[in-house]
Amino acid sequence: MSAGRASEGAGCCVWWGFSPSRDLLCSGPVTNKEEANILLVGSADPRHILKTIAGLPDKHSLHVWVLENNMEVVARQMLMLYFTLMPEDGMGLSEKTEAFLEIFGNSEVRSQTAETLKRAASQLIVTVTETMEEATHPCLNTSLLKFKERDELVRIFKQWTQPECSVSGHPAPVVMSKAWDYRVRQHLGTRYDSRTGCFDWDLTMKLHEKGGRFIHKHQYCQWRAGGVAFEMREGVYQSLNPTLLSCRVFSQKGSKVAVTGYWGDIVSSPYLAFGIETDDKSLLKTQNGHHVKTAQDVSVANVQTLFQALSRRQRTTPDEEKRAPPTDTVTANDLMQLDGISVTFLPMDALTKMPQKEKYVNFFNVIFFSVGCVHQLGPALRQIAAPDAVLVVELAKFILDLNKEQESGFRTKVEDMAQESGFEPWQKETTDDVFAIFMPQR
């Protein structure tokens, strides 16, 4: 039984990943390098970055290189990192966690979150425009992007500062509730009138069976119906979250038409990133066979834990300790500086260009590919991978509109493509059906 059309459920713009966060330096054989370079291809969000930093030993350093296939996703990645790096004397841990998750997974947010988003977007404009050869912050490095890509980032951030208007100043045509409902109708087709039953089927027969038992029926159905995944405080969730809007080109009467709307996932949910796995045993309690805590509870706890781990890596100087707490406007200079951590955003064509540059030969210790970027696996990848590198590929387990045969066929395809690229499975027999792990062929 399928509750919808596979081409529509996952969407064409990936706002969050289809797998839980992972410490990528602990995927495959652990080499314990004091300096590591990780390449993320299509990760969509910073979940793996945060989890990997949290597990990094104090004296070790990490450089993460981020490659996405559109600038809207790059902009969102930067925004999520900006919130992550907000100093706690300017925004408390609970407030920061709530704002982070609202913007991460909600189509509509509270008005105060919307204002915080606008202020952050204004500062990110400054960060991008001031970055030439050197980044204004080591975790928001856009210095390698092309000028047109940086211009596009600035355009996106400007739209976020006034989401109620288009760039031309005219009222924006997008009403998120209508845009979301359009996607649901397109996905379910004739099943739309029985959508609640479809939502329940996807949850109980798919997500719960695949390991997402923390996901509560009420929260999941609310998200499927209207796009609000995290509703943590009393308040009105009616302000547009502009970070989830993008353009999609349609053919109409022989011509191409760009339509702005919500074109992301409407089936698998943003709970996958932080809400279905936990190391905190207190969150594992069950009652009558059901988890007491929900995916929202687990997401909040996990994100807070990651934020606390980042705070412990904060590098301070005597001058910074004396500095007054930030005001409502937090600049790049006010953000936390993480000891030994940097994040660099790469041009969209970087994967084809890097093998031609001596700097990147045998350079990356870990390379991650998302489920939507597997088609970019190729022989050139072996040139930029270190001799003992680990290749981590996200599988299609949480693409809910695929059946078991399609999911298994995808894994086989990944293994074939990895072998053609010069990699072999790390373990011949494995129970991991979320990620496939490979090593360079000997």
Side-chain angles (χ1 to χ4, degrees):
M1 179 177 180
S2 175
R5 304 169 189 172
S7 61
E8 287 294 330
C12 63
C13 195
V14 184
W15 298 125
W16 43 74
F18 293 98
S19 60
S21 59
R22 281 287 189 276
D23 181 345
L24 293 176
L25 292 177
C26 291
S27 300
V30 181
T31 55
N32 201 31
K33 292 185 179 296
E34 291 189 4
E35 295 183 11
N37 288 284
I38 294 179
L39 174 63
L40 300 179
V41 182
S43 60
D45 62 56
R47 68 195 188 286
H48 299 317
I49 299 176
L50 303 185
K51 187 78 170 180
T52 305
I53 294 173
L56 196 68
D58 289 343
K59 304 278 184 169
H60 290 203
S61 62
L62 173 68
H63 195 157
V64 182
W65 307 74
V66 178
L67 177 60
E68 298 290 353
N69 59 13
N70 70 63
M71 298 313 294
E72 284 100 342
V73 177
V74 173
R76 240 176 80 93
Q77 286 255 35
M78 291 183 69
L79 180 70
M80 293 290 101
L81 287 173
Y82 178 95
F83 271 97
T84 297
L85 298 167
M86 288 272 282
E88 288 180 19
D89 51 5
M91 178 181 278
L93 180 61
S94 295
E95 184 184 357
K96 183 162 77 167
T97 301
E98 290 167 2
F100 178 94
L101 287 173
E102 278 186 47
I103 294 170
F104 178 74
N106 286 7
S107 61
E108 294 177 311
V109 298
R110 292 173 297 148
S111 58
Q112 53 266 55
T113 303
E115 289 303 315
T116 304
L117 192 162
K118 290 178 184 179
R119 290 194 294 268
S122 297
Q123 290 305 311
L124 287 169
I125 292 172
V126 177
T127 299
V128 173
T129 53
E130 288 187 351
T131 295
M132 293 302 288
E133 295 182 0
E134 189 173 338
T136 55
H137 191 284
C139 290
L140 297 170
N141 189 350
T142 57
S143 62
L144 297 183
L145 295 181
K146 298 175 181 178
F147 285 112
K148 64 179 181 180
E149 291 172 333
R150 277 188 247 169
D151 289 343
E152 179 66 4
L153 277 180
V154 171
R155 183 194 67 79
I156 294 166
F157 291 140
K158 283 182 178 178
Q159 283 190 318
W160 292 357
T161 62
Q162 41 182 203
E164 64 280 355
C165 298
S166 64
V167 173
S168 62
H170 299 295
V174 178
V175 176
M176 183 58 88
S177 58
K178 292 183 178 179
W180 188 278
D181 186 64
Y182 171 80
R183 289 290 317 289
V184 176
R185 287 177 181 273
Q186 288 293 105
H187 177 239
L188 295 181
T190 57
R191 290 178 169 270
Y192 180 81
D193 289 338
S194 57
R195 56 192 176 279
T196 303
C198 293
F199 300 162
D200 188 49
W201 173 272
D202 283 341
L203 178 64
T204 56
M205 302 305 292
K206 297 181 180 180
L207 274 174
H208 283 177
E209 292 300 313
K210 292 173 182 289
R213 291 192 175 273
F214 282 115
I215 303 176
H216 190 273
K217 179 180 177 179
H218 171 74
Q219 291 175 347
Y220 179 73
C221 290
Q222 175 178 273
W223 173 76
R224 284 288 300 267
V228 176
F230 301 101
E231 195 169 354
M232 291 163 288
R233 289 202 181 199
E234 292 290 333
V236 181
Y237 289 75
Q238 290 184 346
S239 296
L240 171 71
N241 180 358
T243 75
L244 292 180
L245 295 179
S246 61
C247 282
R248 183 176 178 180
V249 177
F250 291 87
S251 294
Q252 192 175 64
K253 297 180 180 179
S255 59
K256 302 291 184 180
V257 178
V259 180
T260 300
Y262 177 81
W263 306 115
D265 167 42
I266 56 169
V267 175
S268 296
S269 87
Y271 298 122
L272 297 177
F274 303 105
I276 65 171
E277 293 183 352
T278 178
D279 297 325
D280 186 347
K281 293 183 179 179
S282 68
L283 297 173
L284 300 175
K285 294 178 183 177
T286 59
Q287 190 172 20
N288 299 324
H290 298 283
H291 284 285
V292 175
K293 298 296 184 181
T294 68
Q296 176 173 292
D297 298 323
V298 175
S299 296
V300 169
N302 282 341
V303 170
Q304 283 190 350
T305 299
L306 295 174
F307 285 172
Q308 288 168 337
L310 264 63
S311 293
R312 290 193 290 271
R313 287 197 73 95
Q314 185 175 186
R315 184 174 67 244
T316 59
T317 65
D319 288 341
E320 286 174 328
E321 289 172 358
K322 294 175 187 175
R323 194 168 60 194
T327 61
D328 285 343
T329 302
V330 179
T331 68
N333 292 328
D334 297 318
L335 298 176
M336 290 190 293
Q337 300 274 341
L338 304 183
D339 193 24
I341 307 296
S342 56
V343 179
T344 298
F345 293 91
L346 294 168
M348 287 190 286
D349 63 352
L351 209 56
T352 58
K353 299 289 181 65
M354 282 192 293
Q356 304 165 16
K357 298 181 180 180
E358 187 176 347
K359 172 184 176 179
Y360 298 111
V361 174
N362 298 333
F363 185 70
F364 294 106
N365 307 105
V366 179
I367 301 175
F368 170 86
F369 274 79
S370 71
V371 64
C373 291
V374 167
H375 63 281
Q376 296 186 63
L377 282 168
L381 197 64
R382 186 65 184 83
Q383 296 175 239
I384 62 175
D388 58 350
V390 176
L391 172 63
V392 181
V393 181
E394 183 181 63
L395 297 176
K397 178 177 180 176
F398 289 106
I399 306 295
L400 300 192
D401 287 334
L402 300 184
N403 59 38
K404 290 184 178 180
E405 290 73 23
Q406 290 169 321
E407 187 183 326
S408 176
F410 183 84
R411 181 173 194 129
T412 301
K413 178 183 177 182
V414 165
E415 290 173 349
D416 291 343
M417 294 180 74
Q419 188 170 4
E420 292 171 4
S421 302
F423 293 83
E424 60 186 10
W426 171 45
Q427 295 174 325
K428 299 297 182 184
E429 300 295 330
T430 177
T431 58
D432 191 349
D433 54 359
V434 181
F435 300 98
I437 313 295
F438 303 92
M439 299 287 292
Q441 294 172 353
R442 302 299 178 190

